[in-house]
Amino acid sequence: MSIIGNILWFIFGGLFSGLSWILSGIIWCITIVGIPYGKQCFKFASMSFAPFGKEIEYGGGVPSLFANVIWIIFFGIPKQYIKKI
């Protein structure tokens, strides 16, 4: 069943999604600071091409926590929800 799902997914959007993640990964890897994010983009690309039947492994330790905190501070909370002081 996962083979049929992967084929349909690839035809109806997986190819475009995966190529977009690869392009994002290449752009992130241009800088030294962005290499960890670029590696994650390549992982997302492999999941985008054929997501059915794959498992996601969680856990990145302290660097992952730090990146998530930075992301939520700068990009995760929309400005309309932050009250002006």
Side-chain angles (χ1 to χ4, degrees):
M1 191 63 173
S2 65
I3 293 173
I4 295 170
N6 283 330
I7 291 171
L8 290 174
W9 176 263
F10 187 79
I11 292 170
F12 292 111
L15 175 65
F16 178 72
S17 177
L19 291 176
S20 299
W21 278 112
I22 288 175
L23 178 64
S24 297
I26 291 170
I27 291 171
W28 272 109
C29 286
I30 290 174
T31 64
I32 293 173
V33 177
I35 290 174
Y37 299 105
K39 287 173 52 178
Q40 296 304 314
C41 288
F42 294 132
K43 289 179 186 177
F44 280 137
S46 71
M47 289 295 292
S48 291
F49 283 129
F52 298 104
K54 291 188 179 179
E55 299 212 8
I56 297 174
E57 183 178 324
Y58 294 103
V62 175
S64 178
L65 175 67
F66 180 70
N68 285 332
V69 169
I70 296 297
W71 179 86
I72 207 159
I73 289 172
F74 289 107
F75 306 109
I77 303 173
K79 289 185 179 182
Q80 66 259 25
Y81 296 120
I82 300 175
K83 293 183 180 180
K84 294 182 181 180
I85 297 176

